[in-house]
Amino acid sequence: MQAVAEKFEPFPGISAQVYSRADFEAVRSIVYDVAGIVLPPGKATLVYSRLAPLVRNSGKQTFANYIDTIKADEGERRKAINALTTNHTFFYRERHHFDHLANEVRPALLAKAKAGHPVRIWSAGCSTGEELYSLALTLLGPDKGEAAPFLRGDVIILATDLADHAVAGATAAKYEMDALKDVPAELVRPWVKQVGTEAHIAPEVCGMIRVKRLNFLGPWPMQRPFDIIFCRNVMIYFDQPTKDTLVTRFIDQLIPGGHLYIGHSERVCGPKQDKMSLVGGTIYRKDEA
């Protein structure tokens, strides 16, 4: 923690009796303990702007009083964590990941599905679902007939996020049509229906998907290992020990030969990193042995 001046005013006219440095430090501690998210000192203004509406709605007059509430009330604490998560995402972000999935990984997964073997994919930190449905459409491909083994087989795409509003958005599977502008048109045509200005993901696609709330710091209830894990631009919010632990858990959740896709500024790290081989731009494959 950096040394700070005694006076702390995140905005002109905001009294330290309403929001103080001690309040910011308390919020930092709660968010880190609950979700592993690191809020650097420069995020004091963001914390104020995100939580001030909750403070008002709770009837508390100060952040200190509200912090006492979120320490004691799990429901209110969950609202605060929701407000402080970052959910920036868009369709076909980091396109080279989807090109790799389509060209290098999909054929083997299609063969598995045809043979009746389970296929499991995880969009970890799925936000409002743009990554999830980019992944699903890439897996299914442009030909509905060829995609039939995926649709009829034991194929599940799990999508998880910490924030309740993100889970709700991913479950709804409805977006502005313009949001899909970067998705190849041959993938949009068979799997997306335009309703006015909205894009509705087809029911058969949604039937493959399970959207759940999950805190990475808590237990992971998955019963089968995964062929693919996408966890992109999530680890940037964690400190190094949390990143190391998370990557180790991801590696343990992958089948031998499974792939982990991470964000452009992230790296595989931790005690089990030697079990992974870099096979593309921020794409890792778990070694067979």
Side-chain angles (χ1 to χ4, degrees):
M1 299 287 180
Q2 296 182 355
V4 296
E6 291 183 6
K7 188 175 181 182
F8 173 65
E9 290 187 347
F11 297 116
I14 300 299
S15 166
Q17 279 70 48
V18 174
Y19 179 47
S20 69
R21 172 63 65 175
D23 297 331
F24 172 63
E25 297 297 344
V27 171
R28 289 180 74 187
S29 179
I30 291 167
V31 172
Y32 180 78
D33 290 345
V34 172
I37 296 170
V38 175
L39 293 172
K43 296 295 185 182
T45 297
L46 178 144
V47 167
Y48 177 84
S49 63
R50 297 276 183 91
L51 293 189
L54 297 180
V55 175
R56 288 193 295 270
N57 292 340
S58 71
K60 307 299 179 183
Q61 300 300 310
T62 66
F63 272 69
N65 290 339
Y66 181 69
I67 289 165
D68 287 341
T69 298
I70 63 175
K71 286 179 178 178
D73 184 331
E74 182 178 354
E76 199 64 39
R77 185 165 59 250
R78 183 159 161 171
K79 289 180 187 178
I81 298 295
N82 284 342
L84 292 169
T85 58
T86 299
N87 302 119
H88 176 67
T89 185
F90 52 89
F91 278 91
Y92 248 61
R93 185 180 190 180
E94 299 181 51
R95 178 174 179 146
H96 68 283
H97 285 165
F98 300 105
D99 291 340
H100 181 271
L101 172 61
N103 299 324
E104 305 298 329
V105 181
R106 181 179 181 272
L109 296 183
L110 185 58
K112 284 186 71 173
K114 285 180 177 178
H117 300 307
V119 173
R120 295 291 184 271
I121 298 171
W122 182 13
S123 174
C126 68
S127 187
T128 45
E130 287 84 345
E131 172 187 275
L132 164 64
Y133 295 108
S134 298
L135 199 167
L137 269 55
T138 301
L139 180 73
L140 291 169
D143 188 322
K144 280 196 168 186
E146 186 185 60
F150 287 130
L151 296 172
R152 294 197 298 257
D154 184 7
V155 180
I156 294 176
I157 303 176
L158 174 67
T160 66
D161 201 274
L162 175 64
D164 291 292
H165 59 273
V167 170
T171 302
K174 296 178 182 179
Y175 304 90
E176 285 300 310
M177 197 70 203
D178 186 61
L180 280 74
K181 64 183 184 301
D182 294 327
V183 182
E186 63 270 20
L187 297 182
V188 174
R189 280 192 294 269
W191 308 115
V192 177
K193 180 180 180 181
Q194 184 169 353
V195 181
T197 62
E198 283 191 338
H200 293 195
I201 307 298
E204 58 264 47
V205 180
C206 296
M208 303 168 56
I209 290 165
R210 310 288 184 270
V211 185
K212 305 288 184 182
R213 182 180 184 271
L214 182 74
N215 185 341
F216 283 144
L217 267 59
W220 293 3
M222 304 78 157
Q223 296 181 349
R224 286 186 181 275
F226 292 93
D227 299 271
I228 295 170
I229 297 175
F230 269 59
C231 185
R232 307 183 308 160
N233 307 298
V234 174
M235 291 188 288
I236 55 175
Y237 300 106
F238 300 144
D239 61 10
Q240 196 59 50
T242 305
K243 291 176 186 178
D244 292 350
T245 299
L246 186 59
V247 168
T248 296
R249 295 181 78 182
F250 282 146
I251 292 170
D252 288 341
Q253 287 288 152
L254 280 170
I255 65 167
H259 289 81
L260 173 65
Y261 297 78
I262 60 177
H264 65 91
S265 63
E266 298 167 334
R267 296 292 179 270
V268 161
C269 50
K272 294 191 177 181
Q273 62 181 308
D274 60 348
K275 294 184 178 294
M276 303 292 283
S277 298
L278 184 66
V279 295
T282 55
I283 305 168
Y284 294 81
R285 184 176 185 272
K286 184 174 178 178
D287 296 338
E288 297 282 354

